[in-house]
Amino acid sequence: FEDNKHSTLLLSFFTMNERRTPGVPGQIPAQFPDPNDPNAVLKFFGMLVGSMIVMKLLYSALFAAWIVAFPLAYLYAASQCPLDSSFDAKKELKRVLRGHNLPEGHPDKPQGFLNEKIARLKASVATEVATAPGYEVAIYDFIGAFKLAVVTVPIIEQDCYWVGGFSRWTYLFQRDLSVKAKAD
């Protein structure tokens, strides 16, 4: 470092000077400890230990909140779990077939008054034809907090799945029985 310009640049890099990159608004300034300060390492480890203590306290507080919140959430979910008798398989199948579960921008969802009425009519007829020979409904209870309903319709070779929780039934997905038979 014979050149005074280089030594000044290097010294300014390791000092507590704030530097900002030109043209980058809002950049956080870089601050470095002074290499001439004998307590710089102690300050660094002090900040490290202090931040570890704060993180431990935060973790303990969140864990205590979890211990209280989880049983309360379970009790609420168990009290709002729908009854088995509230699941109407034909009504839920009609809703699926008319595209009620599809998001607004989906191309298969009927748009407009007339298309919605036609889709409703098609879904009603398809549901009656598909369920006339019979269908099977199985409802599984999971620790009293939620339920899983599986409707098997052999004529269209599909299983449809709903989850029941918080006083309502929500459609999940459907699966072809032919895929299920291949897996077995």
Side-chain angles (χ1 to χ4, degrees):
F1 294 101
E2 295 131 17
D3 188 303
N4 192 19
K5 180 180 170 187
H6 286 96
S7 62
T8 306
L9 182 64
L10 187 62
L11 184 60
S12 68
F13 183 74
F14 286 108
T15 60
M16 297 295 282
N17 295 333
E18 293 183 4
R19 282 170 300 287
R20 293 182 184 264
T21 306
V24 181
Q27 182 185 10
I28 298 173
Q31 294 182 345
F32 299 98
D34 187 5
N36 298 327
D37 186 8
N39 295 328
V41 174
L42 290 176
K43 288 179 186 177
F44 173 75
F45 282 113
M47 288 189 297
L48 182 67
V49 169
S51 63
M52 289 174 61
I53 290 171
V54 167
M55 290 300 291
K56 177 68 176 168
L57 290 174
L58 183 63
Y59 175 75
S60 297
L62 289 175
F63 184 72
W66 173 254
I67 292 295
V68 171
F70 183 72
L72 291 176
Y74 170 75
L75 289 174
Y76 179 72
S79 70
Q80 297 296 314
C81 189
L83 299 173
D84 292 352
S85 61
S86 70
F87 183 74
D88 185 4
K90 282 190 176 186
K91 182 183 93 171
E92 295 296 336
L93 279 172
K94 284 180 190 178
R95 290 173 59 137
V96 169
L97 291 176
R98 76 171 189 244
H100 179 76
N101 61 312
L102 298 173
E104 285 302 318
H106 198 277
D108 292 338
K109 187 166 180 115
Q111 303 293 327
F113 178 76
L114 185 59
N115 287 338
E116 288 178 5
K117 293 299 178 188
I118 291 172
R120 194 177 287 257
L121 180 65
K122 284 181 182 178
S124 295
V125 171
T127 301
E128 292 302 324
V129 168
T131 58
Y135 60 94
E136 180 183 335
V137 177
I139 297 179
Y140 304 98
D141 190 349
F142 291 93
I143 60 171
F146 67 95
K147 296 182 181 189
L148 179 70
V150 181
V151 177
T152 303
V153 186
I155 195 84
I156 59 173
E157 296 182 351
Q158 286 189 340
D159 281 341
C160 298
Y161 296 85
W162 285 265
V163 66
F166 301 105
S167 300
R168 65 188 186 117
W169 292 95
T170 304
Y171 175 73
L172 293 176
F173 64 93
Q174 63 191 26
R175 185 173 66 160
D176 291 335
L177 290 176
S178 58
V179 173
K180 183 180 176 183
K182 287 179 186 177
D184 292 340

